[in-house]
Amino acid sequence: MTAGTGPVAVPESLLLPGVLDPEQAAATVRSILAEQRPDGGIPWFTGGHLDPWDHVEAAMALDTAGEHAASEAAYRWMIDRQNPDGSWYSAYTDGEVTDRNRESNFCAYIAVGAWHHHLATGDDAFLEYLWPTVERAVGFVLGLRRADGTVAWRRAEDGSVPDEALLTGCSSVHHALRCALAIADYLEEPQPDWELAAGQLGHAVACHPERFLDKDRYSMDWYYPVLGTALRGAEAEQRIARDWDRFVVPGLGVRCVSDRPWVTGGESAELALALWAVGESDRAVEILRSIGHLRHVDGGYWTGYVFEDDAVWPEERTTWTAGALLLAVAALGGDDATSTVFGGDSLPAGLASDCCEQGDPV
């Protein structure tokens, strides 16, 4: 574990009244650094597992704080552990593989992190070093494409692929494909197949909910089409408004699932980031302030709170919860890299379909 007790000079973009003051922001950054292993891996918490999606999210948060060396170490962890087929396993604990599924959105997210890291650092050499890793990862993910343009959610340990797609996962993959195309454009490495895939997947996410497994009770399925940049404008506003009362608990945060009295910090912070992306900054700040009750004195954040029982649950403070909060604050604070990646306006859209056609659901 790396030292997480040293001085951290946070940028002004990580300061938000009622959410993070300078000392609080520095403590939250240190809470992630304290969990990073010597090999660069960032597990959920000490003794917990690491998954590639949340690992990259935490690395992105470190870049918002100017902790670029620690973030680079996290990306080197990804480079060193990529499987020959371009994938990563779904979970690693203390350096050992503990879940041999390979999930499409877990593997795709390296592209989001790589582009964010480059925008934060301007390090062309490291982006070029990361490029083969990103290229192989996208190849693995697009090998899971279905006939309708969606992406199957995993390849199992035995090599089988369920004919099933998840809306949250595909929303994240769509975002990753757009970031991968941004990298390809920057490095002058044309990828026409990626352009087609990004356009078809974006159309499916925005217009065809029937192509995905029904996970409507999960808040991530509610806001991820917005967070993943597939929905903007009136369609995004309508989607947020439609289920606001079903998921948002005033003063406490966002439910993980609609039918449980459990609010979670990660979902709350990600919703805030999605709200910022569609111009709802005031509500984004309100959501972030509402999860102050999840903050621990060490700067980390509890994963969730069962409000009917007045109980923190589970009793763990996860790096990705802290990371999601830092990313949301950074976007609100005008951090260029975070604003570019999650705003989406300057990301290549791919070969977009006309969406939504009259009669297509949102």
Side-chain angles (χ1 to χ4, degrees), residues 72-334:
E72 180 176 317
Y75 291 114
R76 289 185 182 277
W77 186 97
M78 296 288 285
I79 293 169
D80 293 343
R81 284 157 184 80
Q82 189 175 37
N83 294 319
D85 66 358
S87 70
W88 290 269
Y89 294 117
S90 295
Y92 302 77
T93 305
D94 295 330
E96 300 297 324
V97 178
T98 49
D99 183 343
R100 291 186 174 273
N101 286 298
R102 288 157 287 165
E103 298 182 43
S104 53
N105 61 302
F106 283 22
C107 298
Y109 211 62
I110 182 68
V112 181
W115 188 232
H116 183 267
H117 183 74
H118 181 260
L119 293 171
T121 64
D123 189 342
D124 284 357
F126 191 65
L127 185 66
E128 291 171 0
Y129 183 60
L130 267 173
W131 168 247
T133 301
V134 172
E135 190 173 24
R136 286 192 295 267
V138 173
F140 169 78
V141 171
L142 295 188
L144 299 178
R145 288 180 73 201
R146 303 165 73 220
D148 60 8
T150 63
V151 176
W153 71 277
R154 68 166 182 168
R155 185 176 293 279
E157 182 176 357
D158 64 4
S160 63
V161 178
D163 190 23
E164 301 168 337
L166 300 174
L167 181 58
T168 293
C170 282
S171 298
S172 184
V173 170
H174 171 252
H175 187 205
L177 288 174
R178 296 188 67 189
C179 289
L181 284 168
I183 298 170
D185 286 354
Y186 186 83
L187 297 178
E188 298 182 349
E189 296 276 359
Q191 302 291 332
D193 290 346
W194 297 7
E195 294 181 23
L196 178 62
Q200 291 180 336
L201 184 56
H203 176 82
V205 168
C207 303
H208 291 285
E210 76 282 357
R211 297 180 185 177
F212 303 94
L213 291 178
D214 183 4
K215 302 287 184 179
D216 183 63
R217 62 192 286 262
Y218 289 87
S219 61
M220 294 176 80
D221 262 25
W222 166 46
Y223 65 77
Y224 247 88
V226 179
L227 184 63
T229 75
L231 289 181
R232 286 293 184 264
E235 291 82 7
E237 293 172 6
Q238 291 168 13
R239 188 174 188 87
I240 294 296
R242 186 186 71 193
D243 286 326
W244 183 270
D245 292 337
R246 193 157 69 102
F247 288 111
V248 176
V249 182
L252 291 179
V254 177
R255 295 176 192 256
C256 178
V257 291
S258 61
D259 54 351
R260 293 290 185 270
W262 181 42
V263 294
T264 47
E267 278 81 350
S268 298
E270 287 185 340
L271 173 63
L273 189 51
L275 289 168
W276 163 83
V278 294
E280 295 276 0
S281 293
D282 289 346
R283 286 210 288 181
V285 172
E286 180 183 350
I287 292 292
L288 293 177
R289 288 175 176 164
S290 75
I291 58 172
H293 64 100
L294 294 176
R295 184 177 177 83
H296 187 268
V297 66
D298 71 356
Y301 284 79
W302 296 107
T303 297
Y305 172 72
V306 182
F307 50 86
E308 282 190 357
D309 298 334
D310 188 24
V312 166
W313 186 85
E315 292 189 14
E316 59 189 34
R317 299 187 297 280
T318 41
T319 51
W320 49 267
T321 299
L325 179 126
L326 289 172
L327 287 167
V329 172
L332 285 159

